[in-house]
Amino acid sequence: DAGVTQSPTHLIKTRGQQVTLRCSPKSGHDTVSWYQQALGQGPQFIFQYYEEEERQRGNFPDRFSGHQFPNYSSELNVNALLLGDSALYLCASNSPGYNRVAGGELFFGEGSRLTVL
Amino acid sequence: QKEVEQDPGPLSVPEGAIVSLNCTYSNSAFQYFMWYRQYSRKGPELLMYTYSSGNKEDGRFTAQVDKSSKYISLFIRDSQPSDSATYLCAMSAFQGAQKLVFGQGTRLTINP
């Protein structure tokens, strides 16, 4: 049973460029969220996707956007990259919950490490 | 002030020692408390999950929650070199929520 898979694992971009990161949730999961983990910090919630719509959003600017596809996979897009966007981007998924907030354990992928030069 | 504060360490102890990791929080809406373990270059994995105040034990690991003090702890008994990792506390207001609030993480090294 494949867990949460993310691609690419590493990438380097320059300031001002745009990046797309991809995530496939764990089998049986339909809800995906994205987190940003700066070096030496804990993960910070970016947003959550369910039924192809953004359901919750953390304190991130509109440069961060996402998409969820009918097969539950998801993309994170970041426009106009800044040096401060350098981080590990984690995707997480969990199983359907009774009221969309009472889902099961959150499973994380291994992340995509973005370096902005 | 951050919602969740965690001493970043680093913390280095000899094998077999008892390790205590702690977090404080300010949001009284938090009801669900988790500890994640993150090995280098890996994603976080859930270690312990507790609801409200009290203790929960799982093998060598014990999680404690004191909601009155807004303070949670993770104890590791008989620590092993394989326990060397970064430990992250995380909290949410709802069960199974996708939006977790994490502490900064404590980097732990167990020396053989």
Side-chain angles (χ1 to χ4, degrees), chain A residues 31-33 35 37 40-43 45 48 56 90 92-94 101-106 108-110, chain B residues 2 8 36 38 41-46 49 86 88 94-105:
Chain A
T31 304
V32 171
S33 58
Y35 286 78
Q37 186 176 23
Q41 302 295 317
F45 177 80
Q48 170 199 359
Q56 291 187 87
L90 295 163
S93 70
N94 67 355
V101 294
E105 174 187 342
L106 201 58
F108 284 86
E110 296 195 350
Chain B
K2 291 184 178 180
Y36 281 82
Q38 185 173 25
R41 304 184 184 280
K42 299 288 187 181
E45 57 177 345
L46 184 65
Y49 182 101
T86 295
L88 298 153
F94 303 103
Q95 181 184 8
Q98 288 264 331
K99 181 179 180 180
L100 303 182
V101 181
F102 282 86
Q104 188 175 353

Side-chain angles (χ1 to χ4, degrees), chain B residues 32-36 46 48-50 72 88-92 94 100:
Chain B
Y32 298 89
F33 305 91
M34 289 139 276
W35 287 94
Y36 281 82
L46 184 65
M48 297 287 283
Y49 182 101
T50 54
I72 71 170
L88 298 153
C89 63
M91 308 176 189
S92 68
F94 303 103
L100 303 182

Side-chain angles (χ1 to χ4, degrees), chain B residues 9-72:
Chain B
L11 185 60
S12 181
V13 301
E15 183 176 355
I18 296 174
V19 176
S20 172
L21 305 169
N22 311 294
C23 288
T24 59
Y25 63 96
S26 57
N27 189 344
S28 56
F30 290 144
Q31 300 257 30
Y32 298 89
F33 305 91
M34 289 139 276
W35 287 94
Y36 281 82
R37 179 173 60 194
Q38 185 173 25
Y39 290 114
S40 181
R41 304 184 184 280
K42 299 288 187 181
E45 57 177 345
L46 184 65
L47 197 58
M48 297 287 283
Y49 182 101
T50 54
Y51 168 67
S52 196
S53 286
N55 294 355
K56 183 176 182 179
E57 188 173 319
D58 184 1
R60 297 184 295 109
F61 298 90
T62 300
Q64 285 186 351
V65 174
D66 182 349
K67 288 192 68 181
S68 63
S69 301
K70 294 189 176 68
Y71 187 86
I72 71 170

Side-chain angles (χ1 to χ4, degrees), chain A:
Chain A
D1 177 23
V4 179
T5 57
Q6 294 186 241
S7 64
T9 54
H10 295 84
L11 68 167
I12 299 173
K13 294 285 187 177
T14 56
R15 280 180 299 174
Q17 285 190 312
Q18 179 262 345
V19 67
T20 297
L21 308 177
R22 297 175 176 81
C23 170
S24 292
K26 182 177 169 62
S27 178
H29 290 182
D30 66 351
T31 304
V32 171
S33 58
W34 288 90
Y35 286 78
Q36 180 194 65
Q37 186 176 23
L39 194 64
Q41 302 295 317
Q44 279 195 290
F45 177 80
I46 303 175
F47 42 52
Q48 170 199 359
Y49 275 84
Y50 168 65
E51 289 184 336
E52 302 178 46
E53 289 190 15
E54 182 181 299
R55 300 291 177 169
Q56 291 187 87
R57 189 177 184 93
N59 189 24
F60 280 81
D62 292 344
R63 297 187 299 108
F64 289 77
S65 63
H67 189 78
Q68 186 180 34
F69 299 94
N71 66 352
Y72 310 125
S73 67
S74 176
E75 287 182 351
L76 165 65
N77 300 292
V78 187
N79 295 322
L81 285 168
L82 303 173
L83 296 179
D85 294 332
S86 295
L88 180 68
Y89 288 85
L90 295 163
C91 175
S93 70
N94 67 355
S95 55
Y98 167 66
N99 57 2
R100 303 314 315 154
V101 294
E105 174 187 342
L106 201 58
F107 286 83
F108 284 86
E110 296 195 350
S112 293
R113 185 164 297 282
L114 170 65
T115 301
V116 182
L117 301 176

